């Protein structure tokens, strides 16, 4: 298979979809890898590293898309890329379609095959290609939240862990999944007073068992959220509905219940945000203020630590990329249920129900393309 790795062009996105090590693994299986010039530089990988691993370097993004049968990316294609994607071309990346209607319509129009990292799903409901970036984003959310609590950055002027004789900051984490768990670990390690909320009592029991003493669990509902708002300094939005839009757990009217300088970090911004006043921001201009509350809503948080993020991501994606390259997308998805659930749009058909629901589009079961491989998916 001919694989293309374009340079990411989203604002301040320094990750790359394939490392030189991953390139070598694909090349030794007989595949051709074409990498756009300087695609890996932001993550610390030079063009020479890719050439030594067997890749060929192409001068621009247009030639990279034109050459490839499968495109490997990190972030969803942006408008400049829509026209570059060809009919029947496989695009393997994060899409988050439910948050981007224009992207969804563009991919339907160009009749490509869109296989989304974020909806590849194992039988235990875990999301193996979302986990590594969720781990990075969860840990970063506390790092960034602690920074924006500083007074020069319009925060409350509170040190997250406090000092002897002074209480630490109070952190509320909405969601006990991978993002929330990693955020709680970081906040607890820095000495904060942490409350993690979830609707799943079994998950809360587990977290109560494994978290340190400065992490409390609390059932998530509107009443309990409102009860917490006037007491917390940092709120982390860490709610995920696989493939769908995140629910708004913090509404506009709730901002008035918070103290001036409270910081909100919405890690769910890629899925529309679980904070109603959330709108995507960039690393270049990461925050804005509404009702004296600081909002940090960067849509590609792990892009700020590209070396760590690229290695973590490709550790997870490479085994799936090898299957797709070795077998083609149809056979790979027929033989691997995890991959089949990553299919979102195929040749103009929306085959992932949460995406179809988001825009009232017709949902076409992917069995149309794969056949009835399983009794139940």
């Amino acid at each position: 298979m001919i694989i293309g790795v374009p340079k990411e062009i989203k604002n301040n996105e320094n990750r790359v979809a394939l490392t030189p090590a991953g390139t070598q693994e694909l090349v030794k299986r007989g595949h051709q890898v074409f990498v756009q010039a300087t695609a890996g530089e932001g993550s610390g990988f030079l063009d020479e590293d890719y050439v030594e691993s067997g890749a060929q370097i192409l001068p621009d993004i247009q030639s990279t898309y034109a050459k490839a049968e499968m495109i490997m990316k990190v972030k969803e294609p942006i408008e400049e890329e829509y026209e570059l994607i060809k009919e029947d071309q496989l695009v393997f990346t994060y899409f988050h379609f439910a948050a981007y209607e224009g992207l969804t319509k563009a991919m339907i129009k160009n009749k490509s095959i869109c296989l989304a990292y974020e909806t590849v799903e194992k039988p235990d409901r875990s999301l193996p290609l979302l986990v590594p970036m969720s781990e990075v984003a969860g840990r970063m959310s506390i790092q960034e939240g602690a920074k924006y609590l500083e007074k020069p950055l319009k925060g409350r002027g509170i040190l997250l862990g406090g000092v002897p004789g002074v209480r630490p900051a109070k952190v509320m984490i909405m969601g006990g999944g991978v993002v929330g768990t990693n955020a709680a670990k970081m906040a607890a390690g820095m000495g904060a007073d942490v409350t993690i909320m979830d609707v799943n009592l079994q998950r809360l029991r587990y977290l109560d068992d494994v978290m340190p003493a400065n992490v409390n669990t609390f059932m998530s509902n509107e009443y309990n959220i409102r009860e917490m708002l006037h007491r917390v300094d940092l709120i982390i939005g860490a709610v995920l509905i696989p493939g769908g839009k995140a629910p708004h757990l913090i509404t506009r009217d709730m901002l008035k219940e918070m103290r001036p300088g409270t910081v909100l970090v919405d890690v769910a911004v890629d899925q529309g945000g679980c904070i109603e006043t959330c709108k995507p921001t960039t690393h270049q201009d990461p925050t804005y203020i509404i009702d004296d509350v600081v909002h940090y809503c960067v849509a590609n948080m792990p892009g700020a630590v590209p070396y760590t993020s690229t290695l973590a991501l490709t550790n997870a994606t490479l085994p799936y990329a090898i299957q797709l390259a070795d077998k083609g997308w149809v056979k790979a998805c027929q033989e691997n249920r995890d991959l089949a659930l990553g299919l979102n749009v195929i040749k103009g058909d929306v085959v992932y129900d949460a995406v179809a629901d988001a825009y009232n589009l017709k949902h076409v079961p992917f069995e149309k393309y794969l056949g009835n491989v399983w009794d139940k998916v």
Side-chain angles (χ1 to χ4, degrees), residues 251-320:
T251 54
R252 174 65 189 261
D253 67 291
M254 291 181 181
L255 300 187
K256 292 184 168 33
E257 300 179 36
M258 302 176 195
R259 293 175 293 189
T262 297
V263 175
L264 306 179
V265 178
D266 196 342
V267 185
V269 62
D270 266 336
Q271 295 290 95
C274 59
I275 296 166
E276 186 178 8
T277 46
C278 157
K279 60 183 180 182
T281 61
T282 66
H283 290 292
Q284 195 171 345
D285 189 15
T287 63
Y288 56 93
I289 297 173
I290 299 176
D291 292 344
D292 296 321
V293 173
V294 180
H295 292 61
Y296 178 98
C297 304
V298 174
N300 60 327
M301 288 174 66
V305 286
Y307 180 77
T308 299
S309 298
T310 291
L311 289 173
L313 179 61
T314 54
N315 285 343
T317 58
L318 184 61
Y320 292 102

Side-chain angles (χ1 to χ4, degrees), residues 95-101 103-105 108 116 118-119 242-245 271 342-345 349-363:
F95 277 105
H96 300 289
F97 279 121
Y100 301 104
E101 186 173 6
L103 171 67
T104 306
K105 289 181 176 178
I108 291 170
E118 71 274 8
T119 63
K245 290 197 74 168
Q271 295 290 95
L343 291 165
N344 278 218
V345 179
D349 290 330
V350 178
V351 298
Y352 199 84
D353 52 1
V355 176
D357 291 346
Y359 306 116
N360 292 316
L361 297 170
K362 180 184 178 183
H363 172 239

Side-chain angles (χ1 to χ4, degrees), residues 176-234:
V178 177
V179 171
T181 300
N182 279 272
K185 284 180 183 177
M186 289 293 286
M190 294 174 73
D193 178 356
V194 184
T195 299
I196 188 164
M197 307 182 77
D198 202 280
V199 294
N200 186 330
L201 193 55
Q202 185 176 347
R203 183 65 180 176
L204 292 178
R205 287 194 179 106
Y206 167 77
L207 292 169
D208 189 63
D209 281 343
V210 300
M211 286 292 171
N214 56 329
V215 177
N216 300 297
T217 59
F218 202 26
M219 180 57 71
S220 181
N221 54 52
E222 183 178 347
Y223 184 92
N224 287 348
I225 290 170
R226 286 185 183 274
E227 184 182 315
M228 293 283 295
L229 292 180
H230 67 281
R231 293 187 277 134
V232 296
D233 306 296
L234 172 61

Side-chain angles (χ1 to χ4, degrees), residues 5-18 38-45 50 72-76 94 96 117 129-130 132-134 136-137 140 270 283 298-314:
V5 182
K7 183 172 183 175
E8 299 294 325
I9 55 176
K10 190 164 185 172
N11 180 283
N12 278 282
E13 180 51 72
N14 294 297
R15 290 172 289 180
V16 64
L18 191 65
T38 73
E41 280 189 359
S43 295
F45 303 116
Y50 286 102
M72 288 187 67
K73 280 179 50 61
V74 178
K75 292 303 292 178
E76 74 283 346
Y94 288 116
H96 300 289
Y117 292 162
L129 305 190
L130 199 59
M133 294 304 93
S134 295
V136 172
M140 273 193 71
D270 266 336
H283 290 292
V298 174
N300 60 327
M301 288 174 66
V305 286
Y307 180 77
T308 299
S309 298
T310 291
L311 289 173
L313 179 61
T314 54

